[in-house]
Amino acid sequence: MRSTWDYKKRSNVIYKHYDKIMAKVYVFLADGFEDVEALIPIDVLRRGGVDVTTVSITDFPLVQSAHGVNIEADMMFEQGDFADADLLFLPGGMPGASNLFEHKGVCKAIVDQHMAGKKVAAICASPAVVLAPLGILEGKKATCYPGFEQALEDAKYTGDLVTVDGNVTTGEGPAAAFPFAYELLAQLVDKKTSDQIAEGMRFKHLMA
């Protein structure tokens, strides 16, 4: 049986990076976002010491998920310029992904981030509904939720849970939220931290 001390040692991984300069991530939340695709990456990245800010692109701080869960965002879209972002992240879900694409400010922020060579991530419907029409996936390998892949006509569809090509990371769907989040954490902090967080959350046991 594991001791309380063993558990504390694993749990301390969550906090040990807060004395370092943290990577900055903005998560754009639109009404109809897929719950786990947003919240699991937010949780994992914060455990790993990443500075994650949730951003409402609606008229109100409260954003409703695809399954009726209300989340209060950290800030409104109009309050930021996102120039300090290391990563901009788009959860999936419908109509969440469509609502993201219909927001001109979000589209401009994503294009500017990509053109600057900085990291962009999207999961589920968002690679197809947002990134592809903006030209961000042109010539790149990418994945998305099955049934949306026809929109990736200028990309190389992989069908994998997670695909990384340069500065763009894409995820397949809700079940990919954990490996997607650990991949982002490895990019933003380091693989050792990502592996430790995965072990502490018992993800590696799940996948054994």
Side-chain angles (χ1 to χ4, degrees):
M1 185 175 70
R2 292 187 178 91
S3 69
T4 302
W5 172 244
D6 289 336
Y7 174 76
K8 287 180 178 177
K9 285 195 293 184
R10 293 198 309 274
S11 299
N12 283 341
V13 174
I14 295 170
Y15 303 105
K16 73 175 186 177
H17 285 278
Y18 284 127
D19 59 344
K20 299 181 180 180
I21 296 174
M22 294 186 288
K24 181 67 179 178
V25 174
Y26 292 97
V27 182
F28 295 128
L29 298 180
D31 283 335
F33 71 88
E34 173 57 47
D35 309 51
V36 299
E37 292 169 0
L39 297 178
I40 287 175
I42 290 168
D43 178 276
V44 168
L45 292 175
R46 285 182 174 173
R47 286 174 187 255
V50 176
D51 182 3
V52 181
T53 299
T54 55
V55 183
S56 171
I57 72 159
T58 74
D59 294 331
F60 306 98
L62 280 180
V63 187
Q64 188 171 81
S65 77
H67 302 286
V69 178
N70 291 321
I71 300 296
E72 183 174 1
D74 297 316
M75 64 182 287
M76 301 295 293
F77 183 87
E78 293 74 18
Q79 293 177 295
D81 64 11
F82 314 110
D84 62 340
D86 294 292
L87 169 72
L88 296 181
F89 168 44
L90 305 174
M94 291 296 284
S98 295
N99 288 334
L100 289 170
F101 183 64
E102 290 171 5
H103 193 287
K104 293 181 180 179
V106 168
C107 292
K108 183 180 186 304
I110 293 293
V111 170
D112 289 349
Q113 178 86 354
H114 178 62
M115 293 298 291
K118 297 198 290 183
K119 297 180 186 299
V120 173
I123 189 170
C124 192
S126 284
V129 175
V130 184
L131 298 188
L134 295 177
I136 289 173
L137 299 182
E138 185 174 353
K140 289 186 175 293
K141 295 181 291 183
T143 192
C144 65
Y145 194 81
F148 285 88
E149 65 270 19
Q150 64 269 20
L152 306 184
E153 55 184 15
D154 295 325
K156 301 172 185 177
Y157 174 65
T158 67
D160 295 335
L161 284 176
V162 181
T163 298
V164 181
D165 193 333
N167 63 321
V168 180
T169 303
T170 50
E172 185 186 44
F178 273 112
F180 179 80
Y182 295 129
E183 169 59 35
L184 295 180
L185 184 57
Q187 293 180 26
L188 294 167
V189 181
D190 54 54
K191 189 175 187 303
K192 180 179 178 181
T193 299
S194 180
D195 286 345
Q196 288 174 325
I197 296 292
E199 175 62 29
M201 296 179 74
R202 310 307 295 140
F203 178 75
K204 291 184 177 295
H205 186 201
L206 172 68
M207 301 304 293

